[in-house]
Amino acid sequence: MLRWLVAARQRGPFFFSQCRRPGATASLAKELAMRRFKDWSIPAVTAGFVAVLVSYAGPLAIFFQAAQSAEISPAMMTSWVWAISMGAAVSGIGLSLWLKVPVVTAWSAPGTALLVTLFPELSLGEAVGAYLTAAAVILVIGVTGSFDRIIQLIPPGIASAMMAGILFQFGVGVFESLATVPALMIGMLLAYLVFKRLTPRYCLVWLLVVGVGLAVTLEGASLEGVTLQLASPTFIAPEWTWQGTLGLAIPLVLVSLTGQFLPGMAILRTSGYNTPARPIVTVASLTSLATACFGGITTVIAAITAAICTGEEAHPDRDKRYVAGVANGLFYLIGGTFAGTIVLLFTSLPGEFVAVLAGLALVGAIASNVSAFAARKEHLEASVITFLATASGVSFLGLGSAFWGVVVGAIAYNLLHRRFTGKKAEERASDGAR
């Protein structure tokens, strides 16, 4: 009601006075609905569709690798895909309509990569408990509006180095596949390089198409069993342990804030949208709480795919690009509804295909994070230590390498690069002079 009256006042004093008359609310609502319908355009809808297709072509492959590590059933995997798709759909549609901004949400790709390093030692119940803990922490950050302040407390080089370490093994996995499926691996690598040069925006979509063709032709994969199949969500009882909290929840919060929310908000702002982070972080975390018990990892604002929906290609008029965010959410709804079909497609293909696709999909993310921490010369050594500890894949005291990477990196940062003040600064300066 309030939004309708605000819109009416913007139309002028006479129109506003007419809308305050009895029975005028319904008429105003109808007119606003018609105006929003007119905002829809083929380029905006196409941008939303391509963003979903890129997510399913690339980051979803990482999810299937996590499922293989956890040795879960296809039925449980269907629930996972349903949960992450519905989380992205509901939050994306709601935020885009509310803020009139193309807000594209998705699941945390770095967080999913983190899962691969923890399964099967971590149980599904512990993973869900960690999802809920991470969502609650991010919710507090969103509600209090402390996102920007917390980001400033995290040394950017340390955060980027941790993410690079998490993703590093996926890049290595591409070339490890050379020993088992050399033709498939070489074919997909060449296809990636060609499409990256010719059509970088749609590279992953074409890579998925070519990869499926190569898997069928070279490896004898069969798609005969791929049929339309509706999703059936499965409830997973959460279990809270220190291993899950320290090994998954805390690193998941860090990678979500620094690897998704931070670049995602930067993309919105560089596209001309001065949207505050508070409503986006809050709604995304609430969605995460709702989907966690069905296998949905943290819902975040998208970074890579968001650029598809925020640029001029989506619509020349910046005020009408929010339609791309709504369309993106609608296509996620369709994908979540038929999550069973998506699972049938991926499970009918060789496991090496998923590994190569996931690794190539993350090359850009690996490169950006390596360059990000390498550019931070003021604490480069601590960042390198963080990267090495995380990339090692070590597990100690039941905690994964991402946790130890952050711990060791923080210690190194404080001992090697923390600024000294007062008397300590003078002593340090005199020692340097000698």
Side-chain angles (χ1 to χ4, degrees):
M1 177 66 179
L2 180 59
R3 290 178 63 87
W4 295 340
L5 292 177
V6 170
R9 183 177 290 278
Q10 292 173 348
R11 293 289 303 276
F14 175 76
F15 187 77
F16 179 70
S17 64
Q18 294 297 310
C19 291
R20 296 181 65 183
R21 295 173 59 188
T25 302
S27 175
L28 176 59
K30 182 178 180 180
E31 179 173 344
L32 289 176
M34 288 299 296
R35 289 177 62 186
R36 285 194 172 182
F37 178 77
K38 292 179 181 178
D39 289 345
W40 285 72
S41 63
I42 293 177
V45 174
T46 302
F49 174 73
V50 171
V52 170
L53 200 57
V54 169
S55 294
Y56 281 148
L60 188 63
I62 310 167
F63 221 68
F64 277 89
Q65 273 203 290
Q68 291 172 357
S69 301
E71 300 177 351
I72 66 171
S73 65
M76 182 64 73
M77 187 65 222
T78 300
S79 181
W80 283 20
V81 176
W82 175 87
I84 60 175
S85 300
M86 290 302 175
V90 172
S91 56
I93 293 173
L95 285 168
S96 296
L97 287 174
W98 175 24
L99 302 174
K100 295 295 290 290
V101 167
V103 180
V104 176
T105 53
W107 57 95
S108 174
T112 308
L114 180 61
L115 284 177
V116 181
T117 66
L118 298 176
F119 286 142
E121 286 78 10
L122 193 73
S123 69
L124 290 182
E126 288 177 305
V128 171
Y131 293 169
L132 291 170
T133 301
V137 172
I138 296 174
L139 176 61
V140 172
I141 294 172
V143 171
T144 58
S146 55
F147 171 75
D148 293 325
R149 294 194 299 273
I150 291 177
I151 288 296
Q152 292 174 356
L153 295 176
I154 303 173
I158 302 298
S160 298
M162 181 187 67
M163 286 190 61
I166 292 172
L167 303 179
F168 179 75
Q169 62 176 312
F170 291 90
V172 173
V174 172
F175 298 94
E176 289 178 344
S177 301
L178 186 63
T180 53
V181 287
L184 177 63
M185 179 266 170
I186 293 173
M188 291 184 67
L189 178 60
L190 289 175
Y192 171 81
L193 295 174
V194 171
F195 294 134
K196 193 70 175 179
R197 177 63 183 269
L198 299 178
T199 59
R201 172 167 290 184
Y202 309 112
C203 173
L204 294 181
V205 178
W206 288 114
L207 179 63
L208 174 63
V209 174
V210 171
V212 171
L214 291 175
V216 172
T217 304
L218 300 176
E219 301 300 326
S222 176
L223 303 181
E224 293 180 358
V226 180
T227 58
L228 289 179
Q229 184 172 326
L230 296 175
S232 179
T234 303
F235 180 81
I236 306 171
E239 180 183 352
W240 283 273
T241 63
W242 283 112
Q243 179 184 0
T245 301
L246 298 179
L248 178 57
I250 293 178
L252 183 56
V253 170
L254 291 176
V255 298
S256 296
L257 293 177
T258 60
Q260 297 282 169
F261 284 109
L262 181 59
M265 292 304 303
I267 288 173
L268 281 178
R269 287 165 182 169
T270 54
S271 300
Y273 300 103
N274 295 319
T275 308
R278 176 181 290 182
I280 295 176
V281 176
T282 300
V283 171
S285 58
L286 288 173
T287 306
S288 301
L289 288 171
T291 60
C293 290
F294 300 97
I297 198 169
T298 308
T299 300
V300 294
I301 186 173
I304 299 174
T305 55
I308 298 174
C309 298
T310 58
E312 292 186 358
E313 296 84 356
H315 201 287
D317 187 348
R318 185 186 295 116
D319 294 334
K320 295 183 180 180
R321 292 176 198 164
Y322 76 94
V323 172
V326 178
N328 179 265
L330 291 175
F331 285 117
Y332 269 128
L333 277 178
I334 297 174
T337 302
F338 295 99
T341 301
I342 297 175
V343 172
L344 287 176
L345 173 62
F346 274 90
T347 53
S348 65
L349 299 168
E352 292 86 354
F353 164 82
V354 176
V356 174
L357 181 62
L360 292 176
L362 289 171
V363 168
I366 296 171
S368 62
N369 281 286
V370 169
S371 61
F373 80 72
R376 296 286 177 171
K377 304 296 184 182
E378 68 274 14
H379 55 267
L380 178 59
E381 192 166 353
S383 299
V384 171
I385 292 174
T386 302
F387 170 76
L388 293 174
T390 307
S392 70
V394 67
S395 178
F396 181 61
L397 298 178
L399 301 173
S401 60
F403 172 80
W404 292 116
V406 172
V407 170
V408 174
I411 294 173
Y413 175 82
N414 280 280
L415 291 178
L416 298 176
H417 308 295
R418 184 172 60 85
R419 292 182 179 180
F420 291 84
T421 58
K423 185 176 180 180
K424 291 184 178 180
E426 296 175 0
E427 294 174 354
R428 183 181 175 90
S430 62
D431 290 341
R434 288 196 289 268

